[in-house]
Amino acid sequence: MGSASKLYLLVSLMAFSVMLASAAGNFYRDMDITWGDGRGKILDNGQLLTLSLDKPSGSGFQSKNEYLFGKIDMQIKLVRGNSAGTVTAYYLSSQGPTHDEIDFEFLGNLSGDPYTLHTNVFSQGKGNREQQFHLWFDPTADFHTYSIVWNPQRIIFSVDGTPIREFKNSEKLGVPFPKSQPMRIYSSLRNADDWATRGGLVKTDWSHAPFTASYRNFNANACVASSKTASSCAAKARASGNNAWFSQELDSTNQKRLRWVQKNYMIYNYCTDKKRFSQGMPPECATANLS
């Protein structure tokens, strides 16, 4: 590379002001409680965050930083007991009508019935890529780690290190893929009894309020971006020694774990819903991307 090219690359990286973040999280440093009128709380010197929901309002928070590719981990303990009608949402999202989004949503249920873990991917404002699961443990009894690996090739959803879903980049098929819009982390606990539990048939029982979800051990090994371009983050990630997530894919062991989850715990897959897509399935469903 010539001196002029090297200078151009250096100036470009500086202008886009990006860095890689991998320090252990502190909620005071990393998050803002954005709504709820005191129902969201940061506790234990920034090591614990709680959201609560009662009849007047829920609550929510968002990350101070925007990220463009990375591995995001959060431990969450969901609402215990009768959580019917409640939704705990944890997701990455950009803003605007053509936003990108990567979703975990936990749909509450009656005591003794399993939560539904709802996942979705939005690209350029278009979603409709839902997969839903039950879990192989009680997500209300203790904290469990919910992770998103997001790189230019794929998005991997994992629970306690076990992959449950992979969404591959299928731009060659004309399917938009999130790769150029930085996203913040968001979470909220809110009432959604018009749809959340059995399609809205089971309503929220406010005698159990306040409902509470708890968060700890946030970690973002990710590219922190202050511009809306992927090139600088990609360059930084390639140059970093702590960037396994940037090219991460599922090895044979994790492919087997993924198939185990999808065989035993998946309850809905948009790629098999022929009634919904009667005019033709989404193009990525014809490939291995339906995993």
Side-chain angles (χ1 to χ4, degrees):
M1 181 183 291
S3 58
S5 298
K6 290 179 180 178
L7 179 61
Y8 175 78
L9 176 60
L10 177 62
V11 171
S12 296
L13 291 175
M14 292 174 63
F16 292 134
S17 181
V18 302
M19 64 180 181
L20 292 175
S22 60
N26 180 286
F27 288 119
Y28 282 123
R29 182 191 67 212
D30 298 321
M31 302 294 174
D32 290 317
I33 306 289
T34 49
W35 63 283
D37 195 23
R39 292 173 178 82
K41 294 181 172 63
I42 298 176
L43 307 166
D44 295 350
N45 297 313
Q47 299 305 302
L48 179 69
L49 188 152
T50 61
L51 296 180
S52 65
L53 163 69
D54 55 24
K55 195 167 187 179
S57 179
S59 50
F61 65 87
Q62 70 179 42
S63 62
K64 296 179 187 292
N65 289 324
E66 291 182 305
Y67 302 95
L68 188 61
F69 306 131
K71 183 176 186 291
I72 310 294
D73 303 308
M74 183 77 81
Q75 290 193 331
I76 307 174
K77 181 163 65 173
L78 297 174
V79 173
R80 298 201 70 172
N82 182 356
S83 58
T86 72
V87 170
T88 304
Y90 168 62
Y91 59 102
L92 297 170
S93 183
S94 60
Q95 297 298 308
T98 59
H99 76 290
D100 296 335
E101 190 172 318
I102 304 170
D103 292 342
F104 279 111
E105 288 190 296
F106 304 91
L107 313 184
N109 219 327
L110 296 170
S111 300
D113 290 343
Y115 262 79
T116 294
L117 170 51
H118 175 100
T119 67
N120 203 355
V121 176
F122 285 75
S123 302
Q124 295 296 309
K126 181 181 178 182
N128 298 324
R129 300 183 177 100
E130 302 92 343
Q131 290 183 357
Q132 295 183 340
F133 306 82
H134 288 156
L135 295 167
W136 51 96
F137 54 83
D138 179 357
T140 74
D142 204 349
F143 287 90
H144 292 269
T145 303
Y146 302 92
S147 304
I148 295 168
V149 169
W150 170 35
N151 63 41
Q153 296 81 38
R154 58 186 43 82
I155 296 163
I156 302 170
F157 297 78
S158 297
V159 178
D160 290 337
T162 295
I164 65 168
R165 178 177 184 179
E166 180 183 27
F167 184 83
K168 294 179 182 177
N169 185 331
S170 296
E171 288 179 307
K172 62 185 179 182
L173 301 177
V175 179
F177 184 83
K179 67 175 189 179
S180 60
Q181 298 188 72
M183 295 194 267
R184 294 187 193 275
I185 299 163
Y186 296 87
S187 190
S188 63
L189 175 57
R190 66 188 191 276
N191 181 45
D193 65 4
D194 57 331
W195 65 272
T197 305
R198 294 182 60 194
L201 294 177
V202 182
K203 301 301 183 182
T204 304
D205 183 349
W206 295 110
S207 69
H208 294 278
F211 305 97
T212 301
S214 302
Y215 303 75
R216 72 181 187 189
N217 290 345
F218 164 70
N219 188 68
N221 186 359
C223 185
V224 178
S226 60
S227 71
K228 293 183 180 298
T229 179
S231 57
S232 50
C233 275
K236 275 286 189 180
R238 290 190 187 99
S240 170
N242 187 22
N243 65 344
W245 51 264
F246 190 75
S247 58
Q248 184 171 336
E249 55 186 314
L250 297 179
D251 59 18
S252 59
T253 298
N254 278 307
Q255 287 174 0
K256 290 179 181 177
R257 296 166 79 188
L258 176 69
R259 288 194 293 269
W260 173 79
V261 171
Q262 296 195 339
K263 178 181 177 181
N264 294 285
Y265 297 99
M266 178 183 283
I267 59 173
Y268 177 80
N269 182 0
Y270 77 109
C271 274
T272 61
D273 194 341
K274 294 181 180 179
K275 181 177 180 181
R276 178 182 179 187
F277 297 104
S278 59
Q279 301 303 310
M281 301 299 292
E284 70 270 21
C285 294
T287 71
N289 194 41
L290 59 81
S291 62

